[in-house]
Amino acid sequence: MSVSITDLVDFDQQSLYISAAAIAFNPLFWNIVARQEYRNKILTKLFLGNSQIACYFLALTIFSLGMVRDYLYKEALAPQPSHPALETDAVKLASYALFAAGNILVITSTWALGITGTFLGDYFGILMDDMVTGFPFNVTDAPMYYGSTMSFLAAALYYGKPAGVLLTVWVFLVYKVALAFENPFTAGIYAKRDRERAAQKKGSKKAE
Ligand SMILES: *[C@@H]1O[C@H](CO)[C@@H](O)[C@H](O)[C@H]1NC(C)=O
């Protein structure tokens, strides 16, 4: 007897698509807003020139959208069938371990970067002095994204839902695209800063 994906996932549930849309929406939203901030300073203008407060506002917005997304994910899993192969003690244990590891990655990276460093401060002109290279950045280049993906998988396994595993694959792909889009852009922001610093040094040498 072969198992087809339609036995594992109920594709007639609208909540599945709503959750998938919310997962894709969030990085799309923050990338569009952050690039608008970088080019036109829209948020900084909204906060009367205070880029620090503008960045905190974006952080709060992203955080809230994340809560909505997590809620919709939970709502999507509820009506989905669970699978006996996922309803074992070993899978439950794995879900706890994934949840713990995922949260450690997210919390320690936020701790290492600070709020503005975590939530796109670079686009606001709030740059880090140096690249953060300690834990968790010495185990993964994108601890936020991988930590979040692990938490999605943890919930899928905890409830024993193949639909959750499928949505986690979607999370992974969405973050991969987001990273491919974000990494070169932020690298460009820092390269520009380094060029300006080098030019300043040259300028001050000439003045001596
Ligand atoms: C990462 O850095 C931490 C200290 O910040 C260290 O304890 C740990 O061993 C490092 N891990 C790897 C894989 O290099």
Side-chain angles (χ1 to χ4, degrees):
M1 200 190 86
S2 73
V3 182
S4 110
I5 179 116
T6 48
D7 299 331
L8 302 174
V9 178
D10 182 353
F11 287 100
D12 291 333
Q13 297 292 335
Q14 205 183 6
S15 54
L16 188 69
Y17 304 98
I18 294 175
S19 171
I23 287 165
F25 175 79
N26 285 11
L28 197 65
F29 168 83
W30 73 62
N31 271 293
I32 289 172
V33 172
R35 289 204 181 186
Q36 277 305 310
E37 168 61 27
Y38 184 75
R39 298 218 163 91
N40 305 317
K41 297 273 155 248
I42 49 159
L43 284 178
T44 295
K45 279 180 192 156
L46 192 66
F47 285 90
L48 309 173
N50 193 327
S51 54
Q52 201 85 22
I53 294 193
C55 187
Y56 273 91
F57 172 76
L58 179 61
L60 192 67
T61 308
I62 292 173
F63 187 77
S64 310
L65 283 172
M67 308 262 280
V68 172
R69 179 199 57 184
D70 293 350
Y71 169 78
L72 291 172
Y73 177 62
K74 228 177 141 206
E75 290 288 294
L77 291 197
Q80 288 291 332
S82 38
H83 194 276
L86 295 179
E87 292 180 305
T88 66
D89 288 343
V91 170
K92 266 260 149 65
L93 270 177
S95 84
Y96 294 136
L98 271 170
F99 185 75
N103 275 284
I104 286 171
L105 287 181
V106 169
I107 291 167
T108 54
S109 69
T110 310
W111 183 258
L113 294 176
I115 298 293
T116 55
T118 302
F119 293 98
L120 307 149
D122 335 305
Y123 294 75
F124 291 78
I126 310 166
L127 302 192
M128 313 277 298
D129 286 330
D130 294 297
M131 211 169 143
V132 179
T133 50
F135 187 84
F137 293 92
N138 60 354
V139 291
T140 158
D141 56 337
M144 268 327 233
Y145 286 165
Y146 292 121
S148 163
T149 308
M150 285 161 90
S151 294
F152 273 94
L153 185 58
L157 297 183
Y158 180 81
Y159 295 111
K161 310 270 178 149
V165 178
L166 184 67
L167 282 171
T168 302
V169 172
W170 177 236
V171 170
F172 181 79
L173 292 175
V174 164
Y175 280 158
K176 274 277 175 215
V177 172
L179 279 171
F181 195 68
E182 290 168 14
N183 280 347
F185 198 81
T186 18
I189 295 176
Y190 280 90
K192 182 164 177 274
R193 194 263 308 263
D194 290 344
R195 279 198 303 275
E196 283 164 5
R197 270 189 181 166
Q200 239 168 27
K201 241 189 208 153
K202 238 189 209 159
S204 61
K205 272 238 175 76
K206 256 187 206 146
E208 272 166 17

